[in-house]
Amino acid sequence: MSRAVFPGTFDPPTNGHLDIIGRAAAAFDEVIVAAGVNQSKKRLFSDEERVAMLTEITEPFGNVRVGTFDGLLVDYCRAEGAGVIVKGLRSGGDYDYELQMAQMNRHMSGVDTVFLPTAPENAYISSSLVKEIARLGGAVGDFLPPGVHARLRDRL
């Protein structure tokens, strides 16, 4: 069985994240969407809220489950029996950063990384940018799944 982990902060999960989740679900037997719970980071949504949003938006995929991790991603992958990390790439800058991390992860654990380029319509979407636009009163509904958009509106 091929099992992959798609890690991220998902604060909040965007349509870009959902696109990568769907494509990974089509490529692997099981995908674990793993929300990082590093307590040193300041987030808009709590760990529980991010997990709830991810659980809601991944429900249509029968082979996707949501988890959380704190610490080294490769340790989480080993504990979950996952041999692959999935990363979405929006630009060459993402690739430069993620390639070094992928090489380090493979050296440390043997876990490989698969890069999926983001669909062009999502290439400019990031959680940080969506939050900034929303805080300034801009419309962000096109960038988020409906349930996530509702939560963001309620929060801000």
Side-chain angles (χ1 to χ4, degrees):
M1 172 194 258
S2 61
R3 181 175 293 143
V5 171
F6 177 43
T9 304
F10 307 109
D11 186 40
T14 68
N15 289 337
H17 293 129
L18 189 56
D19 172 58
I20 298 297
I21 291 166
R23 291 166 51 210
F28 297 97
D29 295 326
E30 183 181 19
V31 176
I32 304 166
V33 179
V37 295
N38 182 339
Q39 298 301 323
S40 67
K41 289 193 174 183
K42 177 77 172 132
R43 299 198 172 100
L44 181 62
F45 293 99
S46 71
D47 299 339
E48 295 78 16
E49 290 170 317
R50 291 180 297 120
V51 166
M53 288 186 280
L54 288 166
T55 300
E56 178 184 303
I57 68 172
T58 61
E59 189 202 353
F61 305 103
N63 63 334
V64 175
R65 65 183 166 94
V66 177
T68 60
F69 75 98
D70 189 13
L72 290 176
L73 177 59
V74 292
D75 290 342
Y76 180 78
C77 289
R78 273 189 231 139
E80 291 291 340
V84 175
I85 297 167
V86 173
K87 291 289 194 144
L89 299 177
R90 293 172 298 194
S91 68
D94 284 353
Y95 178 76
D96 290 341
Y97 174 75
E98 295 292 350
L99 178 62
Q100 185 177 16
M101 195 175 307
Q103 291 168 330
M104 182 63 76
N105 286 340
R106 184 158 192 324
H107 176 80
M108 289 172 46
S109 67
V111 174
D112 275 315
T113 300
V114 171
F115 297 119
L116 294 176
T118 319
E121 63 270 18
N122 297 319
Y124 55 89
I125 300 172
S126 73
S127 296
S128 299
L129 190 54
V130 167
K131 287 185 293 193
E132 183 176 342
I133 292 167
R135 281 186 183 115
L136 296 172
V140 294
D142 289 345
F143 313 131
L144 302 167
V148 173
H149 183 230
R151 284 184 172 101
L152 182 61
R153 271 194 338 256
D154 291 346
R155 177 61 41 95
L156 297 177

